[in-house]
Amino acid sequence: MKIKVKIYSDKYTAYNIIIGNDIFNNLSGIITDNFRANKYFVIIDTNVFRSYSKIIRKQLSNKNFISELIILPSGEKEKNIKNVLDISNSLLSKGADRKSAIIAIGGGVVGDIAGFISSIYMRGIPIIHIPTSLIAQVDSSIGGKTAIDIPKGKNILGSFNQPNLVLTDINFLKSLDESEYRNGLSEVVKYGIISGTGLFNKLERNINSIKKRDTKFLANIISTCVKIKKGIVEKDEKENNLRRILNFGHTIGHAIESASVYKVPHGRAVASGMIIASRISAELFGLKQNDLNRIEELINKLGLDYGIPEFVRTNDILNAIKNDKKKSGKIITFIMLRKIGLPLITNKIPTGILKKEIDKLRNSNIIKANLSRS
Ligand code: GLY
């Protein structure tokens, strides 16, 4: 399936997202058919390279596909300025120029750092994303956000840099470890909650296909998520307004991650953030109890991990919310719900309600943990 994204904001950009299940085996051919460059620079992380080295070496040896390989160690801590400099030096010494293209193969970390480099190397060169995790396939490879971390904060240096092509191969998901898969499922549930009711209903009816990672079903779900995100970023590339709804569950989720010093995985933090945001929506914005129950049930039935561990203090979460990097002055934006499929953007959430709901989620989980121990 081919989905075209068209961005009309500062400059017109359009690119294709190709979704299938036999892309990686034909990589060099598909890339040269869809995006021509004088030389391709593959940036890949160690883990993905280890798992697919045979196919990658075979693809890179294709004579029509002039390429170089740059391997980056895996993990969020690699999203740093030193790697930006090291990779840029490698690009220069291996002969990358403005007619070259970067190919980022991996999850969000590789996509973020390679995307950032492509936006500044020689004032910008093209980038092709090949996302290998579910979260990268439905979220980070689309929409052009790039970033690296600095010691004082996550994603502080970055740019909006739309890719030139995205190739999404569902087969990567077969070998994805369970916690990574669940990280991505949290984002899939988010799309289901913020955009109409079609995706949400489909997720509710197909729990087993999702758990079994049924290739056909996943292709369908991923293309639905991609179409939702495309519709949003086409209208608001730079997150001035509408794009903020993609942050449903994330203001609180990011604060949980940061207060836990990144020990709580993104998926668990976002699932917790979505539950808290939904409960507050029921209290303040008229979300019906039935919708709230359906959201919590879907998260439970999919087996998504959520909850706030004892070592993460409520005050640290509240402080992290106050320092949210997306705040404007003192105003912090939250995405809430009027009903499933109908989000609203607000900055009027009293701290007392946030505190109450964070504590409630923490306590209900302690009760659950105690029960399972007895
Ligand atoms: N991940 C949220 C966005 O791309 O805006």
Side-chain angles (χ1 to χ4, degrees):
M1 160 172 306
K2 211 182 244 191
I3 298 171
K4 198 171 201 87
V5 182
K6 294 179 187 162
I7 307 272
Y8 289 92
S9 67
D10 297 348
K11 64 175 176 27
Y12 174 72
T13 326
Y15 55 98
N16 284 319
I17 300 168
I18 300 176
I19 302 171
N21 58 16
D22 201 16
I23 293 176
F24 207 54
N25 285 323
N26 303 307
L27 196 63
S28 47
I30 293 179
I31 289 179
T32 45
D33 282 353
N34 284 280
F35 191 83
R36 283 266 162 206
N38 65 4
K39 199 166 177 179
Y40 299 92
F41 291 81
V42 173
I43 303 180
I44 186 167
D45 84 55
T46 344
N47 285 346
V48 180
F49 183 67
R50 210 176 288 132
S51 307
Y52 297 96
S53 58
K54 227 164 136 190
I55 305 180
I56 291 168
R57 290 207 191 279
K58 185 169 166 230
Q59 294 299 322
L60 265 54
S61 66
N62 179 336
K63 280 199 285 302
N64 298 322
F65 184 71
I66 304 163
S67 56
E68 295 277 357
L69 190 62
I70 299 174
I71 301 176
L72 180 74
S74 310
E76 175 75 27
K77 67 177 189 323
E78 302 303 329
K79 259 174 60 176
N80 59 44
I81 194 76
K82 181 174 180 304
N83 279 328
V84 171
L85 296 176
D86 288 350
I87 294 171
S88 302
N89 275 323
S90 292
L91 287 170
L92 197 61
S93 56
K94 290 174 192 288
D97 61 28
R98 290 177 110 178
K99 296 248 160 12
S100 308
I102 290 176
I103 301 175
I105 306 180
V109 169
V110 165
D112 264 0
I113 192 166
F116 183 54
I117 292 169
S118 89
S119 72
I120 50 177
Y121 182 79
M122 295 192 171
R123 302 202 174 89
I125 64 170
I127 180 150
I128 298 164
H129 282 301
I130 304 183
T132 58
S133 67
L134 181 56
I135 200 164
Q137 294 190 345
V138 295
D139 186 23
S140 53
S141 64
I142 323 148
K145 279 190 182 175
T146 82
I148 60 163
D149 306 335
I150 59 171
K152 276 188 185 294
K154 233 183 118 165
N155 292 338
I156 296 299
L157 296 182
S159 56
F160 284 98
N161 178 42
Q162 299 299 332
N164 299 76
L165 176 67
V166 181
L167 300 175
T168 293
D169 192 327
I170 312 292
N171 272 335
F172 283 121
L173 303 181
K174 285 188 184 149
S175 55
L176 202 62
D177 74 52
E178 192 54 33
S179 73
E180 255 310 315
Y181 186 59
R182 288 200 200 141
N183 278 340
L185 282 184
S186 272
E187 298 293 336
V188 172
V189 170
K190 174 194 82 180
Y191 285 114
I193 294 174
I194 60 167
S195 179
T197 50
L199 177 59
F200 194 91
N201 293 343
K202 204 185 275 179
L203 295 174
E204 282 183 318
R205 288 197 307 266
N206 292 282
I207 302 286
N208 279 340
S209 309
I210 301 170
K211 285 191 165 167
K212 280 195 323 228
R213 306 191 192 186
D214 178 277
T215 308
K216 239 170 135 182
F217 185 72
L218 283 179
N220 179 298
I221 290 295
I222 289 168
S223 51
T224 305
C225 294
V226 167
K227 282 183 198 153
I228 294 173
K229 182 153 185 182
K230 158 197 149 77
I232 294 169
V233 298
E234 282 182 345
K235 291 195 184 86
D236 177 19
E237 182 195 15
K238 300 275 168 73
E239 200 171 316
N240 292 318
N241 198 19
L242 178 69
R243 187 168 179 166
R244 294 179 186 187
I245 67 170
L246 292 172
N247 291 326
F248 176 68
H250 283 62
T251 308
I252 300 162
H254 284 152
I256 296 171
E257 279 183 279
S258 147
S260 77
V261 201
Y262 297 96
K263 291 205 174 69
V264 172
H266 183 72
R268 177 178 176 151
V270 169
S272 307
M274 291 193 293
I275 289 177
I276 293 174
S278 304
R279 289 177 179 176
I280 295 176
S281 300
E283 203 168 331
L284 299 182
F285 300 104
L287 180 73
K288 295 232 168 70
Q289 186 64 39
N290 186 46
D291 274 8
L292 175 60
N293 292 346
R294 285 175 71 199
I295 291 170
E296 295 198 17
E297 246 169 56
L298 181 61
I299 291 175
N300 276 310
K301 283 191 180 154
L302 286 173
L304 297 187
D305 210 9
Y306 62 88
I308 297 163
E310 256 167 289
F311 73 90
V312 186
R313 289 170 32 200
T314 301
N315 267 347
D316 290 343
I317 301 175
L318 293 172
N319 281 334
I321 290 175
K322 272 191 213 131
N323 292 321
D324 187 272
K325 72 170 181 301
K326 289 180 181 160
K327 73 176 181 199
S328 147
K330 284 200 159 119
I331 296 174
I332 300 150
T333 304
F334 294 90
I335 310 306
M336 295 285 147
L337 299 170
R338 292 208 188 281
K339 55 183 183 178
I340 291 174
L342 190 60
L344 72 119
I345 302 171
T346 179
N347 46 46
K348 293 191 180 62
I349 307 294
T351 309
I353 293 187
L354 277 170
K355 183 175 176 335
K356 184 182 82 182
E357 290 302 338
I358 292 167
D359 284 338
K360 195 165 130 200
L361 192 69
R362 172 198 305 292
N363 291 333
S364 65
N365 259 28
I366 289 170
I367 293 165
K368 255 183 27 200
N370 287 341
L371 282 178
S372 59
R373 272 200 293 271
S374 60

